[in-house]
Amino acid sequence: SFKDGTGSLNVVESGEDLPFEIHRIYYIYGVEQFASRGAHAHRNLRQLIIAISGRFTVDLTDGVNSESHTLQSPDVGLLLPPGLWRDLHSFTSDGICLVLASHHFDEADYIREYPAFLNWTLTV
Ligand code: TYD
């Protein structure tokens, strides 16, 4: 993070700041106040999530333990290993969720049903 009198600049470099190579970037924005995103887990995907603007909350569970993180600073990243169910909610109207991902899009990597996720956690 580099800040001077004119503003701030933040850098994320594969292999330096992240334990994976970045193969995909996407961003989620314009989320309605009471809407939820996510509601899935990934089998292999690793991600870094940043609130590049505004604020939103990320609820995480591995099926046993749960955490909730409110992201609201562009110089903070939430590193998600594989195997976590996530729900993103409480977006402010200016909320933008930037995601740096370790792999290209692959629907087969998703687990979109919570009971199936719980079953999967017992197999890994
Ligand atoms: P999804 O991951 O379910 O979004 P969220 O977790 O924010 O609710 O993706 C929504 C749709 O976008 C789904 O049809 C798959 C598609 N999509 C892609 O085609 N490529 C991508 O890289 C991503 C993240 C989603």
Side-chain angles (χ1 to χ4, degrees):
S1 184
F2 300 90
K3 188 173 184 179
D4 65 19
T6 67
S8 297
L9 183 153
N10 284 273
V11 184
V12 181
E13 290 197 49
S14 290
E16 299 284 331
D17 310 302
L18 279 181
F20 59 81
E21 295 287 324
I22 299 166
H23 284 107
R24 178 166 52 111
I25 295 171
Y26 62 93
Y27 36 97
I28 300 164
Y29 57 96
V31 178
E32 299 292 334
Q33 189 182 359
F34 297 109
S36 252
R37 305 286 309 199
H40 63 253
H42 288 284
R43 292 179 167 84
N44 293 306
L45 191 71
R46 292 163 170 254
Q47 295 163 300
L48 183 76
I49 296 183
I50 301 168
I52 211 78
S53 166
R55 185 177 73 241
F56 56 85
T57 298
V58 185
D59 294 341
L60 300 170
T61 183
D62 62 5
V64 177
N65 298 303
S66 300
E67 292 182 358
S68 186
H69 299 273
T70 294
L71 300 182
Q72 53 191 343
S73 178
D75 63 358
V76 172
L78 181 63
L79 191 58
L80 299 187
L84 292 178
W85 187 270
R86 81 285 311 274
D87 291 293
L88 282 67
H89 60 89
S90 304
F91 278 76
T92 53
S93 56
D94 58 349
I96 303 178
C97 172
L98 175 69
V99 183
L100 312 182
S102 63
H103 292 86
H104 291 178
F105 177 74
D106 176 12
E107 185 61 42
D109 188 63
Y110 282 72
I111 306 171
R112 291 192 182 273
E113 303 294 334
Y114 193 69
F117 167 67
L118 291 179
N119 283 337
W120 177 81
T121 62
L122 300 175
T123 67
V124 289

